[in-house]
Amino acid sequence: MSNILIKGAEAALPTTAGVGTSFSEATLVRVVNTAASGTNHLVTLQETAGGTTVGSITVCGNTSELIEKKPTWTMYAADAAVKGAKVGFTN
């Protein structure tokens, strides 16, 4: 079974497309929606900050997701309640 390796500090995702973050060129980001259950927020992945949208997901309140991405892709969220951190896997 793999464990999560913390590779960077957790921070709130930016809330506008033009200032999205790559989390220090992470390829795996753990995102957590710290809002209460039932308060869902959209997370969007872009090729560059303010660039072409690759895709988006809704992160439900009080849950976390692991998002795999290319190192240069950036992320932003609909609300600052969504936080992220660069992570990896270890044995």
Side-chain angles (χ1 to χ4, degrees):
M1 181 173 175
S2 294
N3 296 312
I4 293 178
L5 174 66
I6 299 170
K7 299 175 109 181
E10 183 177 79
L13 268 72
T15 56
T16 55
V19 294
T21 179
S22 71
F23 285 98
S24 298
E25 298 192 341
T27 56
L28 186 64
V29 177
R30 178 186 180 266
V31 294
V32 59
N33 181 353
T34 62
S37 295
T39 306
N40 307 327
H41 294 301
L42 190 69
V43 173
T44 302
L45 192 60
Q46 295 183 308
E47 288 181 356
T48 59
T52 303
T53 297
V54 175
S56 60
I57 63 167
T58 298
V59 180
C60 298
N62 203 31
T63 64
S64 65
E65 301 290 341
L66 292 170
I67 298 176
E68 188 174 357
K69 65 179 201 60
K70 291 185 178 180
T72 56
W73 288 359
T74 62
M75 306 171 71
Y76 73 97
D79 192 275
V82 181
K83 301 182 185 312
K86 181 177 183 176
V87 297
F89 289 116
T90 184
N91 293 325

